[in-house]
Amino acid sequence: MARLKVFAFDYAMAGGPRARALPGALSQQGAMLLHALLADLAALPDVELHTMPVADAPGPSGASLAGQGFGQRFDACLQAADAVWPLVLEAGLLEDLSRDILRGQRILLGSAPGAVRVTASKLRTARALADGGVPAVPTFSPHASLPDGEGAWVVKPDDGAGCLDTRLFSDRAAALAHVRASAAQDYVLQPFVAGELGSLSLVCCDGKAWVLACNRERVAVRDNRFHFLGSTVNGLDDADGALAGLAQQVAAALPTLWGYVGVDFIRNADGVLVLDVNPRLTAAYAGLSASIGRNPAGLVIDLLKGAAAPAAPLARRAVCVDVASLGQPWPLS
C-alpha cells in the first residue's frame, strides 16, 4: 500500500511573505515545534514526509532559496502531497492557508477554516463557548459595558498568540486607559482570574475530544507584562475528570476542530474556566511523544483511518518543555 505523502512546514521559517516579525521566544518556539513535528512524522512507516527548507537555507546547488518565490515553492509542494500539515502562529494566515490547501484538493491535517476563524478572535471564541455552555473567562471589547467592581484586569490583542502583548493592570480604569492610548490595536479586556494555569493537548474530530495531556503552564509577570516560560506536559492531574469533561464541551461547542488542538484554562476552587482555544500545535507538543509514549502525529493521521480514541493506554509521564531553550524536552524525576 502506498505511503501517505505529508507536506509539513512552518510558514514563517519557509519565508512566507505575510509572516510578521515575532519576538525571539516565539520564533524559537516555532522552530522547536517544527523539529518535533517533522521527527514524529518521519518516524511513521506509512508516511512519506515532505517539507520546505527554511528561507535562508542553501538549495541543492548551494544558492539560497530566499530568492525563490514562496508561492511557487508552496504550490509545488502542495501538488506533490496527499495531505498538508501547516504550522502557522497567526490564525488569520492559518485560515487562508487552510483554504488554499482545501482548494488544492489536498487533505488538511488541521481544523476547518471556519473553526480557525472563530478561534482567531478572543471575542468570537468567548461567544462560541458561551453559546455552547462552556465555562470561560469573561471577555469584553473596549466599547462594551464592563462589569462594576474592584480587581485587576488583563488586556490582550483580540487576535494575539500566547502571551504576546498581554498586560496586567491594577484596575479597570488603568486597563481602559492603555487601550485608549493604543487605538491602532484591536484589544480585548478580561477580569483577572487567580488560579492554576494549565492547558490541554487534545485530538479532536467530529465534535469529540481525546485528552493526550493535562499540562501545567509556567507564566511570569514582569513590568505588568505576561511572559510564557514553558509547559510541564502532563504536569497536572485530572482525578475528578473535570478537565476531560471540559475538553468534550469545547469540542462540542466547536465541532469542526480537527486534529491537534490546545486549550488554555485557569483552575481554582470555583472550577475551571477556558482562556483560549488554539487549533494548531502548542508548546506542549514538543514534549508530548516523550510524555505519552506514543507518536502524537500518528494519532492525528489515524483519524483519517476512522480511528477514535488511542487503542492503548497512554503513559502520561511529566515532561518539561522550556521555550527559552532549544534543547530536548526532559522528563521530571
Side-chain angles (χ1 to χ4, degrees), residues 21-295:
L22 295 172
L26 282 177
S27 298
Q28 189 169 297
Q29 182 177 324
M32 180 173 63
L33 291 177
L34 178 64
H35 175 81
L37 178 62
L38 295 181
D40 287 344
L41 289 170
L44 298 174
D46 54 349
V47 165
E48 179 182 313
L49 177 60
H50 298 252
T51 191
M52 291 174 70
V54 297
D56 57 355
S61 64
S64 172
L65 293 171
Q68 299 181 17
F70 172 85
Q72 184 179 16
R73 290 185 287 127
F74 173 78
D75 289 341
C77 291
L78 186 67
Q79 292 304 312
D82 302 313
V84 185
W85 195 323
L87 272 64
V88 187
L89 188 62
E90 299 170 76
L93 287 176
L94 179 57
E95 179 189 352
D96 292 345
L97 274 175
S98 298
R99 295 190 189 279
D100 290 341
I101 292 163
L102 294 176
R103 278 194 292 266
Q105 299 184 328
R106 295 301 183 264
I107 299 168
L108 173 63
L109 295 174
S111 296
V116 176
R117 183 177 186 278
V118 170
T119 55
S121 162
K122 303 291 190 296
L123 276 175
R124 286 195 295 265
T125 300
R127 290 166 184 162
L129 295 176
D131 290 343
V134 183
V137 174
T139 304
F140 303 92
S141 78
H143 311 294
S145 176
L146 302 184
D148 294 328
E150 299 179 352
W153 281 77
V154 175
V155 174
K156 61 181 67 172
D158 184 47
D159 63 349
C163 291
L164 186 63
D165 199 20
T166 299
R167 303 174 186 239
L168 178 67
F169 295 92
S170 59
D171 54 36
R172 182 178 60 176
L176 285 171
H178 173 74
V179 171
R180 293 189 188 105
S182 309
Q185 178 67 56
D186 189 13
Y187 282 116
V188 296
L189 299 96
Q190 297 174 327
F192 175 74
V193 179
E196 182 177 51
L197 292 175
S199 72
L200 299 174
S201 295
L202 309 177
V203 169
C204 295
C205 182
D206 297 333
K208 297 180 181 179
W210 293 272
V211 179
L212 303 184
C214 301
N215 316 307
R216 185 184 303 277
E217 300 298 301
R218 304 194 301 278
V219 176
V221 179
R222 181 180 181 184
D223 297 330
N224 92 312
R225 291 175 178 263
F226 288 85
H227 300 271
F228 177 64
L229 305 179
S231 298
T232 302
V233 186
N234 271 315
L236 296 179
D237 64 64
D238 187 28
D240 60 1
L243 297 180
L246 184 70
Q248 298 305 325
Q249 287 180 287
V250 171
L254 297 165
T256 56
L257 290 173
W258 192 96
Y260 182 92
V261 175
V263 176
D264 297 329
F265 64 84
I266 296 175
R267 182 167 66 174
N268 58 28
D270 296 325
V272 185
L273 295 175
V274 173
L275 263 174
D276 206 1
V277 178
N278 300 296
R280 55 173 176 78
L281 296 192
T282 58
Y285 184 90
L288 199 52
S289 178
S291 175
I292 65 176
R294 299 284 295 278
N295 188 323

